[in-house]
Amino acid sequence: MVLVSARTALHVLFIKIIVFIKKNMKNQDLVDYLRSCGVCGVCQLRYLKARGSEYKDVKETLRKLDVEVNEIVENGEAAISPEDRPAKKARRGICSTCLGLFSEDFQMELLAGILASDFAKYDCQKIVLAICLPMSLQLKQLAMWFALQRKFGAAVDGNNPPDVPIKEAVKLILHPIICEKLSKEYDANGLMINIDLTHKLEDEEVEKLVKLNKDAFPAKAAYQKRIEISRGLLEKQYQPSKVKAETFEKYFEIPCSTVEEPLKLTSIDLQGPLVCVAGRYRKLSRELSHTPWVMNGQRLMEDSIEEIIIRHVGPHFTERLDKITFMSSGREDVDVRCLGKGRPFVLEIPNAIRSCLSKEKAYKMEQAVDTSGKVSVLNLQVVAREDLTQIKTGEEQKKKFYRALCALKEPVSVEILSKLQIPQSFDIQQKTPIRVLHRRPLHTRPRTIYSVKAKVQRGNPKALVIDIVTQAGTYIKELVHGEFGRTTPSLSSILGKHIDIQALDVVGIDLEWPPEVDNSTPTEEGATNIR
């Protein structure tokens, strides 16, 4: 017995349907009927299942599909033969199914609207159209679906729409045209152009749809206090296999009625792309919080790492610095420095005006941050959004390198030094420190200490400089003094003596991201672009 996958079975079924349709419904017959209903040339191709570049030249594509083109009006407008002209005369250029969405008039109006907006202030080279369509369009598609079933019978399936859906057609038809006119590329992550369209009949037709819904689905209407009419409802519930044509026709004409007015462009709103700027920061101050430190409504420190970086990097990309999200691979306490190559961080910048960063500009930003005297930044660059997983992936598996200045109550002896030379790894159990219980849940966390190495501080026989390599997420201060047994074992318990930590530095983070870049030497291209 041969098992056929669901996808293969559906593909075979689809091929059979297409073959059946071609045997029982000629392209010319279909187009002739569509023309008689006031359907434009572009939408005729939608019902012929045209794809991609086939929409560029309507006449040529129709010829290839063995359809006469002598009746097609220029610009893809509807052409209706005198003998097939419906009772209500369609106004030239307004298609009864797309309501002028794919007409040249709408394209020109849309382009003019985009150019009249704030489009020029965005430097993004990639765009995407997000069009909010009135439900009237979906009702037109449904009415035509019923009409085609009546005309061609079983050749038109009741479950699968006979046309390329409007939303998909927008991507196939409008996107390439608008991108070409604006000299931009299509990218779903680019500058989003939100377009809101309405139609004069929308409110009236929605009221009819509420009544139709009660008539078509009485069982559901019986227990629903309020019927929410939505585009999703139309897509899921309204198709010939679920709603009878006779029921639909009580409220809407079959085929869809002609219209006197096209779609109306009501608004264009621009949403810049999400730009991610990565780098590494070094914290040089022992009096600087990671993020704004506010307690009981009172600010405890006047500045933070987050604010310093955003203040000098953010204005290049956006006017709304308050919308920027700052993330880093871990964080330090207020009194802990971060040295070495620094700690990886990312700024997520929504609705960005600019999407690229030249090395020259990045270097100036790095220098500006350095002037704070509290934070130093390097490797500034724009990175792809998908790369942000780097900063979180394996967060607790990474190694962190620390240097701690510790104090004893007695001079350091050879015995003490030997106990703190631990080249092999060992595990500890750490309860959430009391100092962070206000923001972290109480847990006992296992952590691995990879190595410990100690030496006497020069000029101070009671002080130790201890280098510690640990698993990320280890609380180093508590590892040293033990916090009354809440961390076991601790360096204090290993020594059998009280030991306290005086100062702590992060000297290394085992995360080779983002890539190292030397912004002080600009390349010929001069820019790092979002991918």
Side-chain angles (χ1 to χ4, degrees), residues 358-410:
S358 69
K359 297 189 74 175
E360 180 182 5
K361 185 65 179 177
Y363 184 59
K364 289 180 179 179
M365 290 177 180
E366 293 174 354
Q367 288 182 312
V369 173
D370 288 353
T371 60
S372 70
K374 299 176 181 179
V375 182
S376 174
V377 166
L378 63 159
N379 297 335
L380 268 183
Q381 58 195 283
V382 171
V383 296
R385 187 177 186 180
E386 51 267 28
D387 288 349
L388 266 57
T389 54
Q390 298 272 1
I391 209 164
K392 293 295 181 183
T393 301
E395 197 173 49
E396 293 190 351
Q397 280 68 49
K398 296 293 182 182
K399 291 182 179 180
K400 300 281 180 78
F401 301 81
Y402 298 91
R403 174 161 289 180
L405 176 63
C406 301
L408 293 167
K409 293 182 178 180
E410 61 188 72

Side-chain angles (χ1 to χ4, degrees), residues 6 15 29 51 103 215 236 293 312 316 344 431 461 508 520:
I15 295 298
D29 294 337
R51 313 299 301 178
S103 68
D215 200 353
K236 292 178 182 178
W293 190 3
H312 294 290
H316 175 75
K431 287 185 179 179
S520 64

Side-chain angles (χ1 to χ4, degrees), residues 284-298:
L284 310 176
S285 171
R286 297 195 188 276
E287 296 180 349
L288 185 67
S289 60
H290 189 77
T291 55
W293 190 3
V294 179
M295 188 174 292
N296 299 322
Q298 296 294 318

Side-chain angles (χ1 to χ4, degrees), residues 145-314:
W145 193 349
F146 281 122
L148 291 173
Q149 274 202 323
R150 286 182 176 178
K151 178 70 176 178
F152 299 102
V156 178
D157 183 37
N159 291 298
N160 299 295
D163 59 331
V164 173
I166 286 284
K167 286 185 178 180
E168 187 175 345
V170 166
K171 294 180 182 178
L172 294 172
I173 303 167
L174 284 183
H175 266 106
I177 292 172
I178 300 301
C179 285
E180 182 180 357
K181 297 290 185 181
L182 295 173
S183 300
K184 302 290 184 181
E185 298 176 26
Y186 167 78
D187 191 312
N189 296 318
L191 170 64
M192 183 175 290
I193 304 174
N194 296 296
I195 302 155
D196 190 40
L197 301 178
T198 58
H199 194 265
K200 181 180 179 181
L201 300 176
E202 174 82 349
D203 293 340
E204 177 186 331
E205 290 181 330
V206 169
E207 288 181 10
K208 292 180 181 179
L209 187 55
V210 172
K211 296 175 182 177
L212 169 61
N213 198 67
K214 292 179 180 179
D215 200 353
F217 304 100
K220 290 184 178 180
Y223 66 82
Q224 287 180 328
K225 293 182 178 179
R226 183 179 178 184
I227 299 173
E228 294 290 340
I229 299 298
S230 65
R231 296 172 182 82
L233 178 74
L234 275 172
E235 290 177 3
K236 292 178 182 178
Q237 291 191 186
Y238 286 85
Q239 47 189 259
S241 62
K242 295 181 180 180
V243 178
K244 294 181 180 178
E246 295 75 17
T247 304
F248 183 83
E249 200 168 19
K250 290 180 184 179
Y251 306 93
F252 302 97
E253 291 184 35
I254 298 177
C256 49
S257 57
T258 57
V259 294
E260 295 298 324
E261 294 186 21
L263 292 168
K264 182 180 179 182
L265 177 58
T266 55
S267 67
I268 294 177
D269 179 58
L270 304 180
Q271 181 72 30
L274 177 73
V275 172
C276 300
V277 180
R280 299 179 82 101
Y281 74 78
R282 290 181 288 198
K283 179 173 177 279
L284 310 176
S285 171
R286 297 195 188 276
E287 296 180 349
L288 185 67
S289 60
H290 189 77
T291 55
W293 190 3
V294 179
M295 188 174 292
N296 299 322
Q298 296 294 318
R299 178 138 192 171
L300 301 184
M301 288 196 166
E302 64 178 17
D303 220 339
S304 66
I305 297 170
E306 173 185 303
E307 291 167 298
I308 292 172
I309 295 175
I310 289 177
R311 190 158 61 237
H312 294 290
V313 176

Side-chain angles (χ1 to χ4, degrees), residues 72-86:
I72 298 298
V73 177
E74 291 296 332
N75 305 332
E77 296 178 352
I80 307 170
S81 60
E83 62 272 17
D84 291 329
R85 197 176 300 277

Side-chain angles (χ1 to χ4, degrees), residues 58 116 122 139 149 194 198 358 474 477:
V58 175
Y122 292 88
L139 290 168
Q149 274 202 323
N194 296 296
T198 58
S358 69
T474 303
K477 293 175 182 178

